[in-house]
Every structure is written in C-alpha cells, then in structure tokens.
Amino acid sequence: MPETPSDTLLTMRQISKRFGATHALRNVNFEVKSGQVLALVGENGAGKSTLMKVLSGAHRPDSGEMLLDGNRYAPSGPHDALLSGVCMIYQELNLAPDLSIEDNIMLGREVSNFGLLDRRTQRSRIQEALVTLGHPNLRPETPVRYLSVASQQLVEVARALVFESKIVVFDEPTSSLTRSDVQNLFKVIKQLKEKGLGIIYISHFLEEVQEIGDAYAVLRDGESVGSGSLEGISEEEIVRLMVGRNVQDLFPAVPHTAGESIISISDLTGTKIPRDVNLEIRRGEILGISGLVGSGRTELLRCLYGLNSIRRGEIKVNHVTTHPTPARMIRQGVGIVSEDRKQEGLAQTCSITDNITLSNMSPYAKFGFLNLSQRQQSMRNWMQKLHVKAHSPEQPLIELSGGNQQKVALARVMHQQADVYLFDEPTRGIDVGTKSEIYRLMGELAAQNKAIVFVSSYLTELLAICDRIAVMSRGQLLEVRPRADWTEESLMSVAISGEAI
Amino acid sequence: MSSKETKPSPSESTTEPGALRRFFRRIDFSKGLAQFGVLVLIMLFFSVAEWLVTGRTSFSTSFNIIMMASQASTIAIAALGMTIIIIAGGIDLSVGTAIALCGTVCAWFLREDYGAAVAIPLTLLTGVVCGAVNGMLISFLRVVPFIITLGTMSLFLGIGKLLSGSTTVRPDESSQVPHWLSNFATTSADTTILGLPPGVWTLLAIAVLTYLFLRYSVFSRYIFALGSNESTARLCGINIPLTKIALYALAGFFVGLAGMYQFSELSEGSPTDGVGLELKVIAAVVIGGGSLNGGRGTVQGTLIGSYLIFVIDNGCTKIGLPNHLTDITLGVIIITAVAIDQWRQRRLERS
C-alpha cells in the first residue's frame, strides 16, 4: 500500500479541445497523486465537464496527452476508461433502478464460468467492497430503487472498488444529499484515499472543497488559472481565481426597506409537510428560508402556490383568504421559480419566448390570437434586460446554458408582473457570475417594493442578501429572525436540532 | 455587456431580403421542406420505375396525382387532429374506429331519412364527443393516453356495431345521399373546382386554418407547453385537465370530418371500416416530423406524410409490386423517417 501521497497517478498534459469556434479547453495541465483528493473548481462553462469527458473517453482531445500510472492512457470510451481504472460518479446517478446492487456493480464485468454467472465470487467481492466502505449492512440482492440517494451513491463507489479503479471522479456528489449523508460520503472518500486511490472532486460548494480536499486546481474559460495545496489558501482567494474578481462584488447590495405585509400564512399544514407554519411575507423584503433538504422548505412554497394540496390552515393575500391554485396565485400576483429547471421549471423544447410568456400572454393576445411580432419585440427587451445570451428569442431553451435558462425562469415571473416572488434554490448549479446577477436582481425587486421568498441550502448567500431568515426543520418553521441575529453555526444548529434557540 | 452597442435586431442589419423571401421565411417553410424533398424524390422514383418496368407513365399523370390527393384526404384530415394531440404529448389509438363510428352515424341518419342537414352536424358532433370522452378519461382517471384510447378504440367499435346492428349501413345513393356528398371526394369532372375535388379543397382550407391556429392562437401555446413539459404548464397556471379535454375534443372534430370523408368515399358506413386506420394516421404525423415525445409537429409535415403513404401505395401498385412489398416499403419509410429525425435532433443538441 502506498504510504506517501507523492507518486503521481494521473497526468493530463497540454490538453486542448475545440468545439467549432470555441476553445473548450486550452492547454490544460492537471495532476492527481495517489491518496490525494484533488478539488477541481471553476464556474459553469469553465471546462470542468469537458475535461472530465476527455478523462472518461467521452471526448477525444485535439491535442495533449494523458498518463495513467506511468502508462500512456487514451480511452476509446467510458467503458474502456472504467476498465483502465478511471471511474466517474456523476451528479445524476447511473444505475438501473430495477437491478440489484450486485447486478448494478457487476454490469459489464460479470464474473462467469462458461456463460453462467459465478454469483458466489461476485458477492464476496462486493461484500468486501461494502465492508471497506463501512457499510456491510447493505445487502447485494436489494434492488437499487429501494435505496436512498446516498446509498445509491455508495453503490457507485463500490463499483469503483470492485473494478479496482485508480482514479475516482466525483461530479457534484453532494448537491442532493443531506448534511449527515455528506459526512458519510466524506468518510467513504477517506477510505478510498487510504487505499491509495486518486480522487477528483468537483463541487460548487467551496466549504466542502476546503473540508475534504488536499489540493485544488482552478479552471477559468478553459484554461488552468491556478493549482496547489489547499492548505493556507482561503475561500476568497479561490473564488477570485474562479471569477477573476473580488468576493465582495459577488453580493451586490441594493438598498431597500421593508413595507407592509402582503401574504400572511397561519397554521399551514400540507399532506405530510409542512406542519403548522405561521409566516408573514412583507413587501420590500428578502425573506430567506433555511433548513436541510426535506425539511419542508420546498413543500411550503408549493403549498403556498397551490402545487401541493393543503390540509389545514389559512393563506391571506392582501388580507383576502385564498385557496391557492397556480392560476389563481398568478392572478393574485404570486410567481414561483422551481428548484428543478429541467423537470419542472422550464419547457426545454419550447422557445425562450414561449417560456417567458407562458404564464401571461394577455399583453399580446386579442380574441385568443397572438401578435407575434409585438411579442418577439418585447422578448428582445427582456433578454437584454436580464442579459440572456441567445441568438434569438425563438431559440429553444435546451440550447441555453444553465445560467441563461435560470434567467429565463426569472424573466417569466417578472414578466407576469408578480408582487411576490417565490425562489426555490434559484442559484443552484449556475456559475458565480450569473449568481451575482441574480442577487442584484433580487435586491432590485425588493427596492421596487416586491416581496421575495428565497429558499436556499447555501448559507453564505442567505446571510449575505436576506433581510430576515426563517429556519425549517422536519416540516416545521421554527424561527424567524433578522439576518444580523443569525450566523452559519446558529442556522445550522437550529436546522439540525429541530429546536428553536 | 460588450454586445450592447450592436443593433437591437441582428436580422435587420443584414441586407434587406426580398419580399418573397421574407414571405417564405415568415410562413416557416423550412420545417416541412425536407419532407417535401423526400416526397418529390419518391414520386420521381416511381415515375421512372414505372416507365422502366411497364413502359407506361400513368403514375405521373395529373389525374393520378389528384386521385392520390383525394384518397389521402380522409387520413390527412384525421392526421391534422392527431398532430395537435401528438404536439400535446398525447396519442389517440381510437381514431380509426372513431372515424368508422362517425361514418356509420352519417350513413344511419341518411338512411333513416333525416337528410344531410341533420346527418352531417351529428357526424361532426359524434367526433367531438368521442374526442371529449378520450380527453375526460385521460384527465380524470390520470391514465396514460395510450391505454385509455386503446380502451376507447374497442368502445367506439362496439357502439358502432350497436348502432348499425353489426352490418353495413347503406343509404340509397340516388334518393337519400345528396349529390355533393357522394361526389365530395371523387375526381369526377362535374364537381371538381379547378381540377380538384371539393374534399381536397376543404382539406387544404382546414390545413391553412390549423396552421394559423398552431402559430397564432394562445391555446396552441398551451398545447406546445403541455407536450414539452406538463409540470411547467401546470406551474404557469394552465388548467391541464381542461386543456386536454379541449384539445382532444378539437381533434375529435377532425375525426368527425374524416368520418364524413370516409362515408363520401364508400357511400356506406360500417363500424369495422376504420380498423387499422389509426396506424396510418399516426404514421402520417410521424413521417411529417411529429415527435411522440410531444412538443413537435407541423401541419405541412403531416400533409406530406399523409400524401406519401398513398404515393407509396399507388406507386408500388403501378410498378406491379405485390401487396406485401407495399407494406414492407411503408414500414421501412416510417422507421427511416423517425431514425433520420432522431439523428438530426441529436446532432442539433450536440452543437
């Protein structure tokens, strides 16, 4: 077992890749040592995914070379990469839900004698891997669909062990995990380190990077702009490398003052969660909602907007009791940006124009028919206003980057002239530059006397831009306080303990 | 933003295109152009093949081309309705038996001496009711359209049999069927207008209306959104059940029309006449570029798709291919059309 983390496992040298006229990667250099967790960071579109696709054989580089364990490495495809010792674990897990843990792990590399599966050998290898990972309790014959996301991830890691991988790549592994699952994952990663594997860890969460990483490499616009040991480098310095500017500029402050209450919620209870929520939403204010994934934050917004059914409780909009349905809430001036852009928030094959105007076509409609040129002209203005980068308003949404898609989702609620904005994780999975634009936009909306409810798992942004922050835990809304009365630690401790302090 | 300085609309800064080109761009021809090219190629192929094989040139005569259009119009009308359903992410397997039911209703009311003024509106109404029933079952039972319409396919067949007493309903052609109706879709010279039968003119007029509907109406935007992502449509305050019922009922109106076409063609109504028709209707939409994943489909594509089916049928007969080869050719063309479309789509997504 290699004791010192000095021997280089993987070298990527002078890697370049072009798509048409754009340089996705330009002479990128990259090195992973045995027993090391290398954090690969960069904004969306900086080239991280392309670089990993080169590593996994999904893309072939235009120039440059790769060495794996001292040998030339040029995978012909993802399966070849896996067999050569490079295992990718993606954000969206790659498991067949109806197959068992065993079958998923062994898929494509079944142990067999004369065409018959040798289940006994398979099982012992898998058991061994699960023990190494500290989860001997998982039974190999369980179908994967019955496992939690965290356990499914574990199955993927087990696959890396069974295949005797040398390099394991984690691509945004924690974005759908709870805090305690994240800690478990980190334990697993430490096990892999001890076995001498090289880990590449991609994440938007810089605190995690600081916690688990040994070294970092930053990509910006397809180029390596910095790398080194994570010891002695601050988060701010990394962000500066990523965006090429200072962190203070990330949270632009737009002055605004809280006004009268516009929505008041009393004893709101959904089918399961939320439970007995009381809350005032005020004009001219950004109200943050913090809490763990599954604590009822999203469900609260959905009940309020009429997407989830309500069992009990009362919602008053402008002092009038309302039974929410999406159409009614839109008429009452409430808009929502869904946490899931792909599955719910946006119609991917429809145009930008259709997506923005879907909730409000009345400005362009007469007798049920649309004035298309007027609508398109208006969309040009909206795209310019929110800096949406696209060829034309008729471009289908699927062709846009994540950040630009999110701007379209924001444009829709602004276009429907909402007074209350329900934002569910609006900055998830988008680059720092766009995040900053969204923060500014939220500030501007508050300055226009609109009400904003901002659900986020990212405590730093909540503490930076909210006026008040509420914490939810196990379906209940525990405490609302002005921002100044909260710290990351106190937010977290309320969220975890489920008790107000 | 560095691009702020450029003119607001880049298309206007390029050289001003001619009025004709602007016109063509505006009606968005490009989306059916590929299919049109394929249609022309296949027609050329049959013209040459017929001449080479039999020494005759009966395929490419204007008479034959018009006759194929006339034959295709029943399928084409129903396929226009199906285009709307498929854009909305749905499917209607009951369309075949529903057409036959409508045709039977038409024949029955004529035979019972109610006259065309009663029979035709009731035929159309039957189609609308069939569609609305589909839409309601899909919305309220929350079962996928494939299963629901598989059920109503049998349901409509049964109702047709009940009405007709399981036989063919044949009104007296000379006394009970009005002259215009029996010649609606035929190519006989005394009823054609500018060489085309009234049925083909009606089809073209309805196609233009459908095109305008799918491009300019607010409702069509809901249909596209529904097919692209139902959750998004819900989020945007669209009443999903109502939209579904309305669009299936609208497609049902097309089915009613198709039933009238079918009656006109056969001069009789039989509930079993529509069995298997649904496959041709769906194939027409798919050949025309409609995506069964929803969100995509065009009027011009569907028209070409419907016509293509009859071109292949007719062409294969003209060059003396046995019937089974006609079926095989059609099957190959459907699969090729979908495969090419998928490939094009993937390439688009990658760029």
Side-chain angles (χ1 to χ4, degrees):
Chain A
M1 197 182 278
E3 290 299 305
T4 51
S6 59
D7 35 351
T8 302
L9 259 183
L10 172 77
T11 312
M12 296 180 87
R13 207 175 282 155
Q14 300 285 314
I15 304 285
S16 293
K17 177 77 190 172
R18 293 171 60 143
F19 295 106
T22 50
H23 279 273
L25 296 172
R26 219 185 295 228
N27 299 327
V28 172
N29 292 305
F30 195 75
E31 218 177 71
V32 185
K33 296 188 171 101
S34 172
Q36 184 190 50
V37 176
L38 183 109
L40 180 61
V41 291
E43 291 191 87
N44 272 16
K48 290 170 300 180
S49 326
T50 313
L51 187 64
M52 288 305 105
K53 279 182 178 159
V54 167
L55 180 61
S56 73
H59 286 326
R60 213 147 300 176
D62 297 332
S63 62
E65 61 167 357
M66 294 187 275
L67 297 173
L68 182 64
D69 226 0
N71 303 315
R72 248 186 67 81
Y73 164 73
S76 61
H79 192 69
D80 189 31
L82 185 60
L83 294 181
S84 316
V86 175
C87 181
M88 313 286 296
I89 296 172
Y90 289 105
Q91 200 171 354
E92 285 105 19
L93 298 172
N94 268 321
L95 297 170
D98 290 311
L99 294 187
S100 66
I101 294 181
E102 175 184 349
D103 291 342
N104 264 295
I105 291 178
M106 302 310 293
L107 206 60
R109 210 192 201 187
E110 289 82 359
V111 182
S112 61
N113 293 320
F114 311 110
L116 293 173
L117 280 181
D118 180 358
R119 290 216 177 255
R120 192 192 303 215
T121 314
Q122 286 196 7
R123 288 246 161 115
S124 70
R125 282 194 202 170
I126 288 165
Q127 209 69 55
E128 196 185 323
L130 290 174
V131 169
T132 309
L133 297 176
H135 287 262
N137 52 333
L138 284 177
R139 294 160 61 87
E141 61 273 18
T142 317
V144 163
R145 75 158 68 245
Y146 299 120
L147 302 178
S148 67
V149 179
S151 302
Q152 291 188 11
Q153 213 167 39
L154 207 72
V155 173
E156 296 236 25
V157 181
R159 172 151 61 193
L161 284 182
V162 171
F163 277 65
E164 292 168 337
S165 300
K166 300 182 184 92
I167 297 282
V168 181
V169 180
F170 289 91
D171 190 356
E172 295 283 353
T174 59
S175 52
S176 44
L177 295 187
T178 62
R179 191 82 171 184
S180 62
D181 286 336
V182 171
Q183 288 309 319
N184 284 331
L185 177 70
F186 285 178
K187 275 186 207 142
V188 166
I189 291 177
K190 283 179 188 136
Q191 297 286 347
L192 297 179
K193 267 176 72 171
E194 271 172 36
K195 284 195 66 113
L197 275 73
I199 316 287
I200 299 174
Y201 189 89
I202 302 175
S203 179
H204 274 104
F205 301 108
L206 293 180
E207 314 90 280
E208 280 178 11
V209 164
Q210 292 274 13
E211 191 177 342
I212 190 71
D214 299 308
Y216 71 93
V218 183
L219 286 183
R220 187 169 79 225
D221 299 329
E223 290 180 80
S224 323
V225 290
S227 61
S229 166
L230 270 170
E231 232 156 283
I233 183 164
S234 68
E235 226 171 87
E236 283 74 22
E237 282 169 279
I238 294 178
V239 173
R240 192 161 50 236
L241 282 172
M242 283 164 62
V243 285
R245 58 175 147 163
N246 279 322
V247 194
Q248 291 89 292
D249 307 335
L250 187 59
F251 300 108
V254 185
H256 54 267
T257 43
E260 78 275 26
S261 161
I262 182 164
I263 291 184
S264 66
I265 302 169
S266 41
D267 297 323
L268 182 69
T269 302
T271 43
K272 245 187 189 159
I273 44 176
R275 293 201 316 261
D276 305 313
V277 169
N278 292 291
L279 190 64
E280 293 285 325
I281 298 170
R282 297 187 210 141
R283 283 182 174 276
E285 185 185 63
I286 303 175
L287 170 67
I289 299 185
S290 178
L292 305 176
V293 173
S295 61
R297 307 171 308 182
T298 297
E299 290 76 7
L300 174 62
L301 294 195
R302 295 179 75 84
C303 282
L304 186 52
Y305 192 72
L307 287 167
N308 285 11
S309 52
I310 295 171
R311 234 179 33 201
R312 182 152 58 72
E314 193 179 39
I315 293 168
K316 281 186 177 171
V317 184
N318 288 319
H319 310 293
V320 180
T321 304
T322 306
H323 300 283
T325 66
R328 193 173 289 152
M329 293 319 273
I330 289 172
R331 276 200 303 276
Q332 301 264 21
V334 181
I336 194 168
V337 170
S338 167
E339 64 172 334
D340 193 338
R341 276 196 299 275
K342 270 212 180 85
Q343 302 301 325
E344 180 176 58
L346 297 160
Q348 295 281 332
T349 57
C350 287
S351 65
I352 296 172
T353 305
D354 277 347
N355 269 289
I356 293 180
T357 57
L358 203 51
S359 57
N360 178 20
M361 286 200 235
S362 50
Y364 323 106
K366 220 179 211 173
F367 308 118
F369 284 87
L370 293 165
N371 182 338
L372 292 187
S373 56
Q374 187 198 346
R375 185 170 77 137
Q376 196 171 30
Q377 193 50 50
S378 161
M379 285 312 111
R380 288 225 172 81
N381 296 339
W382 276 100
M383 286 168 64
Q384 217 164 37
K385 193 166 156 188
L386 296 188
H387 308 304
V388 177
K389 280 179 211 136
H391 309 311
S392 101
E394 296 309 309
Q395 206 174 353
L397 219 71
I398 196 164
E399 294 171 11
L400 268 55
S401 71
N404 280 310
Q405 291 195 0
Q406 192 68 326
K407 288 180 192 169
V408 171
L410 293 171
R412 170 160 68 222
V413 277
M414 290 169 70
H415 177 264
Q416 84 194 32
Q417 301 186 313
D419 287 323
V420 181
Y421 292 79
L422 309 177
F423 289 143
D424 198 354
E425 299 279 9
T427 61
R428 180 156 74 190
I430 60 179
D431 58 272
V432 179
T434 309
K435 275 185 187 174
S436 175
E437 283 183 57
I438 290 177
Y439 301 140
R440 184 177 44 74
L441 209 65
M442 287 163 86
E444 284 170 3
L445 287 170
Q448 292 160 27
N449 215 22
K450 314 281 189 194
I452 290 130
V453 182
F454 178 25
V455 166
S456 171
S457 298
Y458 184 37
L459 300 178
T460 315
E461 66 180 9
L462 284 179
L463 286 166
I465 72 154
C466 293
D467 303 307
R468 283 189 303 156
I469 302 176
V471 184
M472 291 194 72
S473 177
R474 300 195 190 100
Q476 286 180 302
L477 194 139
L478 294 172
E479 208 165 352
V480 196
R481 284 198 247 161
R483 165 186 48 188
D485 297 354
W486 288 110
T487 61
E488 290 204 17
E489 288 72 29
S490 61
L491 281 173
M492 213 56 215
S493 92
V494 175
I496 291 170
S497 69
E499 286 163 23
I501 39 174
Chain B
M1 292 285 106
S2 59
S3 59
K4 242 181 195 168
E5 299 307 311
T6 57
K7 288 179 188 112
S9 127
S11 65
E12 274 156 33
S13 61
T14 55
T15 47
E16 195 68 15
L20 195 67
R21 264 183 62 191
R22 253 205 337 254
F23 171 74
F24 275 106
R25 194 179 295 168
R26 179 157 284 177
I27 61 171
D28 218 6
F29 242 178
S30 63
K31 280 178 184 155
L33 212 55
Q35 284 95 335
F36 189 70
V38 171
L39 176 69
V40 169
L41 276 180
I42 289 179
M43 289 180 74
L44 274 176
F45 166 79
F46 279 125
S47 308
V48 174
E50 190 200 12
W51 182 70
L52 287 177
V53 174
T54 67
R56 287 194 303 264
T57 53
S58 64
F59 178 81
S60 52
T61 58
S62 65
F63 172 79
N64 194 47
I65 287 170
I66 290 169
M67 198 190 69
M68 288 189 292
S70 174
Q71 287 172 336
S73 30
T74 307
I75 295 290
I77 281 276
L80 287 176
M82 186 68 81
T83 306
I84 295 172
I85 291 180
I86 281 179
I87 289 173
I91 191 87
D92 180 7
L93 298 181
S94 72
V95 63
T97 57
I99 291 173
L101 175 61
C102 294
T104 310
V105 166
C106 188
W108 192 86
F109 279 99
L110 288 174
R111 196 189 64 187
E112 302 298 311
D113 272 328
Y114 285 91
V118 173
I120 300 293
L122 284 175
T123 305
L124 301 182
L125 184 67
T126 307
V128 173
V129 170
C130 286
V133 165
N134 278 332
M136 282 191 252
L137 289 174
I138 290 163
S139 290
F140 297 140
L141 300 183
R142 298 193 187 179
V143 177
V144 289
F146 188 93
I147 303 295
I148 292 287
T149 57
L150 192 66
T152 53
M153 174 161 127
S154 185
L155 189 75
F156 298 152
L157 179 65
I159 293 173
K161 284 179 176 171
L162 182 72
L163 178 70
S164 67
S166 294
T167 53
T168 302
V169 181
R170 191 174 295 126
D172 182 59
E173 248 209 280
S174 54
S175 66
Q176 291 180 312
V177 184
H179 183 66
W180 69 267
L181 184 56
S182 48
N183 285 305
F184 188 61
T186 60
T187 44
S188 71
D190 60 330
T191 47
T192 54
I193 307 158
L194 298 174
L196 290 181
V200 175
W201 283 114
T202 310
L203 167 67
L204 291 176
I206 285 175
V208 170
L209 289 178
T210 312
Y211 175 85
L212 294 174
F213 166 78
L214 283 179
R215 189 162 165 74
Y216 291 99
S217 74
V218 172
F219 187 53
S220 76
R221 297 298 96 198
Y222 297 166
I223 291 172
F224 275 96
L226 193 61
S228 177
N229 190 337
E230 192 171 322
S231 305
T232 310
R234 185 161 174 246
L235 200 73
C236 291
I238 294 165
N239 186 331
I240 309 254
L242 198 66
T243 306
K244 279 187 182 166
I245 294 168
L247 78 92
Y248 273 92
L250 176 63
F253 177 75
F254 289 85
V255 167
L257 273 170
M260 186 184 102
Y261 273 76
Q262 197 187 43
F263 170 77
S264 158
E265 207 175 333
L266 305 174
S267 306
E268 59 183 39
S270 162
T272 51
D273 276 344
V275 174
L277 223 54
E278 63 280 349
L279 295 181
K280 281 189 175 164
V281 173
I282 294 167
V285 180
V286 169
I287 292 173
S291 161
L292 292 184
N293 293 329
R296 245 155 21 90
T298 61
V299 166
Q300 56 276 34
T302 295
L303 285 185
I304 292 167
S306 317
Y307 195 60
L308 193 62
I309 290 173
F310 285 84
V311 163
I312 290 164
D313 199 56
N314 183 287
C316 287
T317 314
K318 290 275 193 234
I319 58 176
L321 285 182
N323 189 262
H324 61 263
L325 278 182
T326 311
D327 290 333
I328 290 173
T329 313
L330 187 58
V332 168
I333 295 223
I334 292 171
I335 293 170
T336 314
V338 176
I340 290 177
D341 190 58
Q342 287 282 339
W343 173 76
R344 208 176 50 93
Q345 207 60 24
R346 269 202 306 274
R347 217 184 42 167
L348 239 156
E349 272 162 38
R350 234 178 295 156
S351 67

